[in-house]
Amino acid sequence: MGEGNSGKKGGMGALLASIRILFNNPLVRSFLKLSSLDSTCIQDGRKVTAPIVYHALSRFAGESMECPLTTRFLSTVIDSVIDVGIKLMRGKEEEAIEALRDPAVRRGVSLVMKGLGLYGVTVPQEMPAPFLIVWNFTNMCNLRCKHCYQRADKPLPDELTLKEKIMVVDQLDKAGVAAIALSGGEPTMHPDFLRVVNEIANRGMYAAVATNGWFFADKERLIKAKKAGLRYVEVSLDSADPKKHDWFRGVPGAWERAVKALKNAVELGMSHAMAVTVTKANLHEVEDILELAESIGVQRVVFFNFVPVGRGKDNIWLDLNPLEREELLRTLYKEMKKRNMQIVSTAPQYGRVSLQLSGGEEVAPTHFYVGDDPVVKAVAEFVGGCGAGRIYAGIQPNGDLIPCVFLPIKVGNLRERTFWDLWENAPLFRRLRDRSKLEGYCSKCPFKNVCGGCRARGYAYFGDPMAPDPGCIYNLKYWNQIVSDLRKELGEKVRITVKVPSK
């Protein structure tokens, strides 16, 4: 999304920046509020009920549709403002149009626009619904990973029925959610997996899965999932050494099947990623892991923050100290600059590190993309940093709604209250959206709007989701205090010895 030969900037970056600037005035916001109302249009011979702003984006992308007069009028106004905005930002309009042909992208941009209409510009931006839901589809799992936030094993006795799962998808659809990632446990082994993937896809939402890869090592299974509407496959692979990965995942043969699953995704041309949880056991394997990814043909590697929750709490020794994490994030940035693949981190501090190492030229607006487009930097504070309870949320196998899968604080249950009600009114979500409520150095950090610290780590270590993230270099004193307290609790002479397989 950097500048090309024409001097124009990335289409989607320009689109988001122009929306933020041009729609932040009372007159245009009044149009956005009206455009947040649902309308039914005929598109490709079928009825599509969605907010008017969604239909406006569909028209902007060149979709042929029949809409009521009011919808056509408001769509014309909105499309005109967008067109002017992209030109003012010197953006590539053709890129924006191409991206908006994807219904899931239209949903995401619609959320931004609805948020502006309802709340005005807030920093970070408040949304009427999350971009992404990570749904722990089931607690059943065939592996026994040492860091598992769910302590996954057998299915829970109160997991949602298929009928209830469809009800949840319906609620998320009506709320305008752009993407749903099925996680677990191991979602691909559940008998409802393909049925629910198909339901998500048919409603225009982006269907994704986070998997250990065991079952997608069978190419036919992945083909069936792709036909059902699965668009993104994220396979966990935590070492270039098969023995070490299998030790971490608790079952022999896990590495071989994860590699095969990734190869299958590459061969099928599916959007995919290798997911790596970074711990003391594999901290020094970054280059080996990236070389393995390149040898498979992987285009995207996501390095996950370790959070001591679930089984991870039992293996807290695996966590990196702030110095190690800082060096890791710097290494990832440098590797990203020299390799032909996307290399990202779920550690929100990656946004700060990318800014610092690039001399203020590059930034990760969420923590999933690093770009040098000036308009991308302009929206970094708009959508940046930890998104728990703000731009994403988690759902447990029994329908409990939580801010993040690593932050398992129940705010309500979707069997008892609607998703929209909980998203709008849950006190914890309201707190997480207000960065002034942060504690420790996170509260005054100049990077808090592109980072904000990992709220799950604040909760895991201090029992408060607004507490400082002790994994950040600027919160080193809190980490040192944690280590000191542990030494007092265990005794100075206690030593923990863990045998990690090596090559």
Side-chain angles (χ1 to χ4, degrees):
M1 288 180 65
E3 292 193 20
N5 294 332
S6 66
K8 288 191 173 183
K9 302 174 180 66
M12 287 307 296
L15 175 62
L16 289 173
S18 65
I19 286 172
R20 182 191 188 193
I21 294 168
L22 296 179
F23 284 87
N24 189 32
N25 69 75
L27 178 61
V28 184
R29 275 187 61 198
S30 65
F31 280 103
L32 280 183
K33 284 184 179 180
L34 285 174
S35 300
S36 297
L37 300 175
D38 280 348
S39 175
T40 300
C41 296
I42 306 298
Q43 185 174 343
D44 296 327
R46 65 187 184 92
K47 291 183 178 180
V48 177
T49 300
I52 293 172
V53 66
Y54 177 89
H55 296 308
L57 293 170
S58 298
R59 279 168 52 93
F60 187 80
E63 300 286 347
S64 177
M65 52 205 309
E66 299 175 19
C67 298
L69 180 60
T70 301
T71 301
R72 294 202 305 270
F73 171 71
L74 290 172
S75 295
T76 300
V77 173
I78 290 170
D79 288 353
S80 297
V81 174
I82 290 174
D83 185 58
V84 169
I86 292 177
K87 288 175 180 174
L88 285 175
M89 300 303 297
R90 297 172 63 232
K92 297 177 182 176
E93 185 173 318
E94 62 277 11
E95 279 189 11
I97 290 173
E98 182 61 31
L100 288 172
R101 289 191 176 125
D102 185 333
V105 174
R106 291 201 294 268
R107 280 174 167 266
V109 177
S110 295
L111 285 175
V112 173
M113 297 176 74
K114 285 177 67 177
L116 286 168
L118 292 171
Y119 314 115
V121 171
T122 60
V123 181
Q125 184 60 43
E126 189 166 350
M127 299 291 180
F131 287 117
L132 170 67
I133 290 289
V134 181
W135 184 352
N136 291 329
F137 199 63
T138 178
N139 204 61
M140 72 168 69
C141 191
N142 58 316
L143 302 188
R144 298 295 178 268
C145 306
K146 288 180 169 52
H147 68 312
C148 180
Y149 55 75
Q150 284 291 105
R151 296 186 184 273
D153 184 356
K154 298 176 182 178
L156 302 174
D158 62 343
E159 291 190 3
L160 297 172
T161 64
L162 176 57
K163 183 178 179 180
E164 289 172 327
K165 291 185 178 86
I166 301 302
M167 174 270 292
V168 168
V169 174
D170 185 60
Q171 286 194 28
L172 299 178
D173 176 24
K174 289 176 178 175
V177 170
I180 300 175
L182 301 181
S183 187
E186 178 49 47
T188 63
M189 68 188 298
H190 196 283
D192 295 339
F193 175 69
L194 292 180
R195 174 69 179 83
V196 174
V197 164
N198 188 245
E199 191 71 28
I200 293 168
N202 284 345
R203 292 168 182 263
M205 289 181 281
Y206 192 86
V209 68
T211 174
N212 59 42
W214 189 279
F215 296 95
F216 283 164
D218 178 349
K219 195 172 185 178
E220 287 303 312
R221 281 180 178 260
L222 186 53
I223 290 172
K224 287 181 180 179
K226 183 180 181 181
K227 288 180 178 178
L230 187 68
R231 295 180 58 183
Y232 177 79
V233 183
E234 191 171 89
V235 181
S236 296
L237 196 61
D238 300 298
S239 177
D241 177 1
K243 289 183 179 179
K244 189 181 288 187
H245 174 85
D246 291 355
W247 164 81
F248 189 66
R249 294 283 164 174
V251 175
W255 186 91
E256 182 179 359
R257 295 187 73 87
V259 168
K260 179 59 177 171
L262 281 167
K263 287 181 178 178
N264 287 340
V266 171
E267 290 171 8
L268 291 173
M270 295 186 69
S271 183
H272 62 274
M274 177 190 289
V276 184
T277 299
V278 185
T279 66
K280 288 189 184 298
N282 64 357
L283 176 60
H284 302 296
E285 283 193 71
V286 169
E287 289 189 16
D288 289 342
I289 289 170
L290 291 174
E291 285 171 10
L292 172 62
E294 287 181 331
S295 72
I296 296 170
V298 168
Q299 294 298 307
R300 178 180 170 89
V301 182
V302 183
F303 288 87
F304 275 77
N305 232 357
F306 173 84
V307 182
V309 63
R311 284 196 203 108
K313 192 173 182 179
D314 301 336
N315 294 288
I316 199 169
W317 66 273
L318 286 166
D319 201 3
L320 308 182
N321 65 46
L323 297 172
E324 290 169 330
R325 181 170 284 98
E326 187 76 5
E327 184 59 31
L328 166 70
L329 296 179
R330 288 171 173 266
T331 298
L332 295 184
Y333 177 82
K334 293 171 185 175
E335 292 291 337
M336 181 272 297
K337 296 297 291 182
K338 70 181 184 181
R339 294 180 188 265
N340 186 29
M341 63 167 58
Q342 294 182 46
I343 301 172
V344 293
S345 172
T346 65
Q349 291 85 6
Y350 194 48
R352 167 184 59 78
V353 168
S354 64
L355 266 175
Q356 291 174 324
L357 291 186
S358 66
E361 293 298 317
E362 296 184 331
V363 66
T366 54
H367 38 258
F368 293 107
Y369 172 77
V370 175
D372 59 0
D373 187 330
V375 292
V376 174
K377 288 188 289 181
V379 298
E381 293 188 351
F382 183 45
V383 296
C386 178
R390 188 176 59 82
I391 59 174
Y392 59 77
I395 298 175
Q396 296 285 42
N398 66 351
D400 285 345
L401 186 64
I402 55 180
C404 165
V405 292
F406 295 101
L407 186 52
I409 306 175
K410 175 182 174 181
V411 301
N413 187 280
L414 299 181
R415 284 173 167 141
E416 301 161 1
R417 294 175 63 183
T418 66
F419 173 80
W420 179 266
D421 178 23
L422 290 169
W423 181 259
E424 283 284 289
N425 300 309
L428 177 57
F429 284 172
R430 306 303 306 174
R431 286 182 69 206
L432 288 167
R433 294 166 196 166
D434 185 353
R435 292 281 164 87
S436 70
K437 300 284 196 255
L438 294 177
E439 299 174 4
Y441 189 78
C442 289
S443 66
K444 58 185 177 181
C445 178
F447 300 100
K448 72 177 181 181
N449 290 322
V450 295
C451 173
C454 174
R455 298 299 94 226
R457 290 178 54 81
Y459 178 71
Y461 279 104
F462 299 110
D464 181 355
M466 308 310 291
D469 177 354
C472 177
I473 193 73
Y474 296 142
N475 283 322
L476 183 60
K477 70 175 184 178
Y478 295 101
W479 178 264
N480 290 338
Q481 186 60 52
I482 289 168
V483 172
S484 176
D485 291 344
L486 280 173
R487 283 175 176 165
K488 289 177 182 178
E489 180 181 340
L490 298 175
E492 289 290 344
K493 295 183 180 180
V494 173
R495 294 289 183 271
I496 300 175
T497 303
V498 180
K499 186 178 181 181
V500 179
S502 58
K503 292 182 181 178

